[in-house]
Amino acid sequence: MNEKNTAQPTRTPPTPNPQWGGRFAAGPAAIMREINASIGFDRALWREDIEASLAHAAMLAAQGIIAKEDEAAIRSGLEAIAHEIEEGRFPFEESLEDIHMNIEARLAERIGEAGKRLHTARSRNDQVATDFRLYVRRAIDGLDLQLRDLMLALATRALEYADAPMPGFTHLQIAQPVTFGHHLLAYVEMFAVDRGRFQDARRRLNECPLGAAALAGTSFPIDREMTARLLGFDRPAANSIDAVSDRDFALEFLAAAAIAAIHLSRLGEEIVLFTSPPFGFLRLSDAFTTGSSIMPQKRNPDAAELVRAKAGRISGGLITLLMVMKGLPLAYSKDMQEDKEPVFDAGRALSLSLAAMAGMVRDMQAVRERMAAVAREGYADATDLADWLVRELGLPFREAHHVTGRLVAMAEAKGVPLAALSLEELRSVEPRIHEGVREVLSLEASLASRRSLGGTAPALVAEAARAWIGRLQG
Ligand code: ARG
């Protein structure tokens, strides 16, 4: 990005912009050019700009608005320009403001008069709205594949750890035992909804603004159905004013990205926590760990931390664009040029986060013994005991809760798990307790008993993981 932000007096008087300077005697001040230019970032739209121009030219020719020969020249000119950009040979000019005028000016340079006919019956307003929708649509398709990839990695590891006990937490206090597979599948569900949100946004964005022109439509006999079809849109946008001034599709993209990033940040945080030695639940591979330059023992989960942090900039992008759009009068305002950077940045950050997370998940090792030991230590079977008192002895749950609480206090005072209390000790609190209680005072029994729909019983977890793997691969 351009860092200079002070007005430099220009020695040679600037000449008017060749694309719109007809009524101007002098060109813009250097600082005016700098604040006005978007070419520094909107060059990322070059592919979409050329794609949309090709469709527009084909339509103009089909409607007899330009000659077939002109369309052929425009087509080969734009294809040559695409090669120039791909190969890094394109002469980008800040004085031409943006990607649209850079490409159009270059076209005229290459093919002459025919190139100057391309902008018939369109404006940069419908052009940029079209390009940007195409860009966001492509970004969604890429992120969808990456989300699927991450879900598959999570579901595969979930199947492997379907029966691995871990302490489940609420308030980050040990709550009840769950399996690590179950825990991982919780994230699969979250990312599945993220995919759905992106798909919903995609459905709504898939209307074509091209042909709305500046804001009012055009007097030329254009065929908006044709350009919409050529560009893979479901239909032309119905209202020309809305078509050029709407950026909901970008907001929805950012909202979906922000929510997905929040999910990733929670998983990132858990990786940071669970790989920390006092937890010791997880080990990341060397490929996803960094060392410390001073403390040789350290294995830092930098990628997980950065994924956690990127949720900040991604949700920042959403707020940025919401604030840009707030209170803008219809139709187009130059403010809307500021719509692109937050979307580009959020898309890149989310894509990188998804790739890094998938890599970490594929490689990580769960330390089964450690997770099971902590699940045992933390009285995670207390609820099982209370449930047993209800089921076997007919105690009201509140009373069972109280009895169990006293037994936990007793065990804690002795520094032992509930299962280590003798029958006498158990009966000192509730005389009707019998040996049958032993079968619920084990991690395995506790887990296996959680068979309610969506519960953590290893058999259910394995089934759910297999179902996900099947769906994701199908
Ligand atoms: N660079 C501009 C943008 O990104 C293109 C549209 C300019 N339209 C205009 N009427 N000045 O929004």
Side-chain angles (χ1 to χ4, degrees), residues 38 42 97-98 100 124-125 128 247 332 334 336-337 339-340:
S38 52
D42 70 11
E97 281 183 39
D98 58 24
H100 323 291
R124 271 187 297 153
N125 296 349
V128 72
R247 292 295 182 272
Y332 176 85
K334 191 68 172 226
M336 289 158 72
Q337 179 164 288
D339 60 358
K340 290 166 208 67

Side-chain angles (χ1 to χ4, degrees), residues 116-168:
K116 298 182 184 173
R117 296 190 193 281
L118 173 60
H119 210 53
T120 313
R122 78 172 182 187
S123 147
R124 271 187 297 153
N125 296 349
D126 59 338
Q127 194 179 351
V128 72
T130 305
D131 294 1
F132 201 23
R133 278 182 193 247
L134 290 172
Y135 180 95
V136 172
R137 193 175 73 186
R138 209 188 293 265
I140 288 176
D141 292 345
L143 290 169
D144 182 69
L145 289 177
Q146 287 195 279
L147 279 163
R148 178 185 158 278
D149 189 53
L150 174 58
M151 289 168 69
L152 188 56
L154 285 163
T156 306
R157 302 314 301 275
L159 182 58
E160 184 182 340
Y161 293 119
D163 63 346
M166 79 175 262

Side-chain angles (χ1 to χ4, degrees), residues 154-160 162 181 185 459-472:
L154 285 163
T156 306
R157 302 314 301 275
L159 182 58
E160 184 182 340
L185 286 182
L460 296 187
V461 173
E463 196 182 306
R466 271 193 212 98
W468 268 119
I469 292 169
R471 249 174 284 163
L472 291 164

Side-chain angles (χ1 to χ4, degrees), residues 263-413:
H263 292 156
L264 283 164
S265 81
R266 298 179 76 175
L267 183 51
E269 162 65 7
E270 291 194 332
I271 292 177
V272 172
L273 211 54
F274 292 169
T275 55
S276 171
F279 268 89
F281 288 2
L282 287 180
R283 197 176 157 85
L284 290 174
S285 70
D286 287 357
F288 285 96
T289 311
T290 58
S292 157
S293 52
I294 175 168
M295 297 162 283
Q297 83 284 8
K298 293 196 66 190
R299 293 177 58 82
N300 295 331
D302 294 39
E305 296 167 79
L306 288 165
V307 167
R308 185 174 63 182
K310 286 193 193 293
R313 66 195 287 169
I314 295 170
S315 31
L318 171 61
I319 302 302
T320 299
L321 188 55
L322 283 169
M323 292 303 102
V324 166
M325 296 308 294
K326 177 186 174 297
L328 278 192
L330 301 183
Y332 176 85
S333 295
K334 191 68 172 226
D335 308 51
M336 289 158 72
Q337 179 164 288
E338 295 279 315
D339 60 358
K340 290 166 208 67
E341 283 170 291
V343 167
F344 296 164
D345 185 70
R348 240 187 332 261
L350 183 58
S351 169
L352 188 56
S353 299
L354 287 167
M357 189 54 84
M360 282 187 276
V361 167
R362 264 196 204 95
D363 281 15
M364 72 190 180
Q365 287 303 319
V367 187
R368 284 175 180 263
E369 322 71 62
R370 171 73 186 149
M371 286 201 291
V374 175
R376 267 190 201 94
E377 269 162 28
Y379 302 103
D381 49 2
T383 315
D384 298 280
L385 174 56
D387 287 352
W388 184 88
L389 294 170
V390 170
R391 215 170 39 239
E392 296 294 318
L393 306 185
L395 263 61
F397 183 78
R398 275 291 148 240
E399 219 167 287
H401 184 286
H402 185 75
V403 167
T404 307
R406 291 183 55 197
L407 289 170
V408 167
M410 180 188 289
E412 208 169 29

